Amino acid sequence: MRKVIVVNHVTLDGVMQAPGRPDEDRRGGFQHGGWAFADFDPVMNAAMAEGMARGGDLLFGRRTYEDFAGFWPHQKDNPFTQVLDQSQKYVASTTLRKPLPWVNSTLLEGDVARAVRGLKDEEGNDLVILGSGELITSLLPHGLIDEYLLMIHPLVFGKGRRLFTDGGPSTALQLVDAKSTTKGVIIATYRSAMAREESG
C-alpha cells in the first residue's frame, strides 16, 4: 500500500499560504507571500533534495497544480524542474478538463477521497502532496494522510490559510524525525496514528 505524505512549509501559527512568491496566493488580502525563502539554508536544501531524490508521485489540488504547471516547466536551470517534469502527477479537480497541460499529469475525476484511496491501494511510489491545502482538508476526515514533513518557520502572521483548519477532525501524530536549520526552521516528520496501526 502506498502512503500519502504531506510536504509543506508552515509558520508557527500554522499558516501555509504563499510560501514561495509574493504573488503566489493573495486570497483574503494576504500580504506576506514569499515568506519561506529567507529561511532557506544548506540544511533545508539538503532535506528538500533528499525528499525529492526519494521519488514519489505527486498529488495536487487544482490551484497548486496550475501554479506549479505555470512556473516549473520554464525553470530550465533548476535541478527540481526535471524531477517534477518526470514525476507522475495526479490532480484532484472538478473544473479542469483533459488533457492536462503538464507532462505526466492525470486528472482524478469523481469523489476525491475514493480516488485517492484507490491510488493508495495500488502498488507503486508513495504519493506526495505539495501545497494543496483544500485537498488536504478534504482528505483528513477520511484518514488518508499517513505522514507530514513540515518545515516549521519561526514566523507568526496571525492570519492566512492554515494547514489545519477550524472544525477539522482530531488527529493524533507521532514525531519520528526532527532537525533544526541555521535559520531556526524545524524540519519535522510526523506519522499519523492510523498509519502506525496499519504498519504495526
Side-chain angles (χ1 to χ4, degrees):
M1 175 178 284
R2 304 204 270 180
K3 293 187 294 186
V4 173
I5 303 170
V6 168
V7 178
N8 268 330
H9 296 271
V10 296
T11 65
L12 281 176
D13 55 342
V15 173
M16 60 172 287
Q17 186 171 0
R21 302 188 314 278
D23 62 345
E24 184 178 357
D25 183 357
R26 297 190 185 276
R27 285 178 292 177
F30 190 71
Q31 297 296 318
H32 304 288
W35 49 268
F37 274 99
D39 291 332
F40 270 69
D41 74 344
V43 178
M44 186 183 295
N45 288 339
M48 295 295 290
E50 180 181 346
M52 297 292 279
R54 193 169 60 177
D57 296 340
L58 300 175
L59 184 57
F60 288 112
R62 177 197 59 81
R63 186 180 186 90
T64 302
Y65 174 78
E66 289 184 327
D67 184 75
F68 273 53
F71 178 79
W72 282 106
H74 309 292
Q75 309 308 306
K76 301 304 182 185
D77 296 327
N78 191 305
F80 291 142
T81 297
Q82 184 176 6
V83 175
L84 290 168
D85 279 347
Q86 292 179 349
S87 296
Q88 176 62 51
K89 294 166 280 289
Y90 297 100
V91 186
S93 173
T94 58
T95 57
L96 293 178
R97 296 291 178 262
K98 300 175 182 176
L100 295 177
W102 198 2
V103 65
N104 296 323
S105 295
T106 300
L107 181 63
L108 298 179
E109 300 178 288
D111 181 77
V112 64
R114 183 179 296 114
V116 171
R117 186 175 289 111
L119 290 174
K120 287 189 68 172
D121 287 341
E122 295 175 357
E123 294 294 326
N125 297 323
D126 289 336
L127 299 155
V128 176
I129 299 177
L130 304 174
S132 306
E134 292 182 19
L135 173 61
I136 293 168
T137 298
S138 72
L139 297 180
L140 278 171
H142 302 279
L144 291 170
I145 296 175
D146 302 289
E147 286 186 14
Y148 299 84
L149 172 58
L150 303 180
M151 279 65 69
I152 306 168
H153 294 249
L155 296 168
V156 175
F157 291 141
K159 66 174 295 185
R161 302 179 74 86
R162 287 174 166 79
L163 176 60
F164 299 107
T165 58
D166 291 344
S170 179
T171 304
L173 303 173
Q174 177 188 20
L175 180 67
V176 295
D177 186 60
K179 60 177 69 76
S180 60
T181 75
T182 62
K183 301 293 185 72
V185 177
I186 303 298
I187 303 173
T189 302
Y190 295 94
R191 189 170 297 149
S192 76
M194 185 175 296
R196 296 201 308 272
E197 292 170 2
E198 290 175 351
S199 63

